[in-house]
Amino acid sequence: MVRRTGDGLTRTEERAGTDPEVLSVLPYAVMALVVLANLIAGPTVGLLPLVSLGPAFAGLVGGWRRTVVAGLTALAAGVGLGIYSGLFEERRGFASLAAVAGVTAVGVAGSVMRGRREAELAGMRSIAEVAQRVLLRPVPRSAGHLRAAVSYTSAVAEARIGGDLYEVVSSPEGVRVIIGDVQGKGLESVETAAVVLGAFREAAHDEPDLRGVGARIERAAGRALQGERFVTAIIAELDPANGAVFLNYGHPPPLLVRADGSVSFPEPARYALPLGLGLGPDEAPEPFRVAFAPGDQLLLYTDGVTEARDRTGAFYPLGTRTLLLKDPDPEAALESLRKDLILHTEGPLHDDAAMLLLRHRE
């Protein structure tokens, strides 16, 4: 499972795996067991062909050099077993050694091909990391009167980018933020996220009113999306004098944690349709305002957080986890919440999960 933190680094979630040292020893352990079994069973059993399991395993887990070494070791063991069992008095002893050599050759070819595929995959991963840095840039740790932190956890172990999006922009009207979730998966969702973020970054600086920002993004999403694809999103504007103003396009409500510890999920009087569904002038979301004072915290998130289930099917209880956000460092607080989310699911997430934490400075 891959996650992205506020410093822009992408890290792979720690998960159980096979120790590489065990894999490197496995081919020789298999050959040793075959030789030992043959010696115990006696010369009449003839387990020589089974030593080819050594180079076969080496070809699966190691490079071509390691496979060659395992093959030579297998041939040496085969010669010893052949002499011990008297197989070279017949043709089957030489046939067994030929089988070992053949398996070694196949293992070497397989390891070379696997190495090439791994190199290609590494190249694609590096390209994906560059694309991620362009699409999901690190949010500023400080923006106006706010401190910010972000966490992005991909549901796919080798993924670097997905359909969740976020951004924080300081504008003349205040700090403007967006968080959204593109319906669907794959490259199309990444392209849609790029369109929405590009429109937001431009409109956040140019539009004097938050409605204008939403209208610009809606037009851009309408041009990019086809069929029944859409984007749920929250656009917010925060300034010290007026608190927080939200436009909610069918997105889960934000989590507001007051300085006194009280918790609420501010919701609009009427939910609007998501972006990209052809909203008319009368269907645009109505801005709604909430107080946002020093010491308050605002958590914006995607449904990959609240819809994460444990083994019993219970959703993640985000509203009861606000104590995890008490750390003075917003990035450490968000990391604690992310770890608790992973602990709740007891395994990989089924959907990408993005969280954006905003704190009003004391």
Side-chain angles (χ1 to χ4, degrees):
M1 185 178 306
V2 176
R3 66 186 180 91
R4 179 182 173 87
T5 60
D7 58 5
L9 299 177
T10 305
R11 303 180 186 136
T12 303
E13 189 68 29
E14 298 170 351
R15 57 190 184 273
T18 306
D19 190 343
E21 295 182 358
V22 174
L23 294 178
S24 64
V25 173
L26 181 61
Y28 304 99
V30 170
M31 289 186 287
L33 288 175
V34 171
V35 172
L36 181 61
N38 202 151
L39 293 176
I40 294 175
T44 59
V45 176
L47 298 179
L48 190 159
L50 293 182
V51 297
S52 62
L53 292 174
F57 279 122
L60 291 175
V61 301
W64 68 269
R65 292 183 178 85
R66 183 178 298 176
T67 306
V68 170
V69 172
L72 293 176
T73 304
L75 287 174
V79 170
L81 289 179
I83 295 174
Y84 173 73
S85 302
L87 297 179
F88 294 121
E89 298 176 0
E90 307 173 14
R91 292 184 178 179
R92 60 175 181 157
F94 297 100
S96 298
L97 291 181
V100 173
V103 171
T104 302
V106 172
V108 170
S111 63
V112 170
M113 294 177 62
R114 191 186 69 254
R116 291 176 179 175
R117 288 195 299 269
E118 290 176 351
E120 293 175 357
L121 181 59
M124 289 188 290
R125 287 177 182 170
S126 63
I127 294 173
E129 285 195 20
V130 174
Q132 183 192 41
R133 293 191 182 101
V134 174
L135 178 61
L136 296 178
R137 299 180 300 198
V139 301
R141 297 188 178 186
S142 177
H145 62 297
L146 303 175
R147 297 181 67 193
V150 70
S151 171
Y152 184 94
T153 305
S154 172
V156 182
E158 302 303 335
R160 292 295 191 269
I161 48 181
D164 288 0
L165 57 97
Y166 53 82
E167 183 60 288
V168 177
V169 174
S170 295
S171 74
E173 283 70 31
V175 180
R176 288 173 168 173
V177 302
I178 186 174
I179 191 165
D181 186 359
V182 181
Q183 179 265 338
K185 301 291 183 184
L187 291 178
E188 290 185 359
S189 65
V190 176
E191 293 173 358
T192 302
V195 170
V196 172
L197 284 174
F200 171 77
R201 287 164 180 161
E202 183 177 347
H205 289 287
D206 297 342
E207 295 292 337
D209 183 70
L210 195 62
R211 291 176 185 264
V213 177
R216 290 265 293 270
I217 297 173
E218 171 59 31
R219 289 194 295 270
R223 290 191 297 266
L225 294 171
Q226 297 179 354
E228 298 181 354
R229 296 178 64 83
F230 57 85
V231 182
T232 67
I234 286 183
I235 305 171
E237 180 181 283
L238 303 96
D239 70 83
N242 299 316
V245 181
F246 299 97
L247 290 176
N248 193 317
Y249 292 86
H251 198 77
L255 170 65
L256 179 60
V257 183
R258 299 291 184 190
D260 61 5
S262 60
V263 178
S264 64
F265 290 87
E267 298 188 56
R270 177 181 60 86
Y271 272 90
L273 293 175
L275 295 164
L277 294 183
L279 300 181
D282 298 331
E283 298 174 316
E286 287 293 330
F288 65 100
R289 187 183 306 274
V290 298
F292 193 60
D296 292 349
Q297 299 186 81
L298 186 68
L299 180 69
L300 305 175
Y301 55 90
T302 58
D303 59 9
V305 176
T306 51
E307 294 183 2
R309 298 173 181 261
D310 62 12
R311 292 185 177 180
T312 66
F315 291 112
Y316 182 67
L318 179 61
T320 65
R321 297 296 202 266
T322 55
L323 290 177
L324 297 172
L325 298 176
K326 287 201 169 187
D327 194 296
D329 181 4
E331 291 187 357
L334 200 56
E335 175 65 7
S336 297
L337 187 62
R338 189 196 68 84
K339 289 181 177 179
D340 186 67
L341 175 65
I342 302 300
L343 185 62
H344 175 80
T345 59
E346 301 182 34
L349 300 178
H350 297 291
D351 194 7
D352 297 346
M355 295 183 287
L356 177 61
L357 180 63
L358 305 172
R359 284 183 173 176
H360 195 307
R361 294 182 180 180
E362 294 287 354

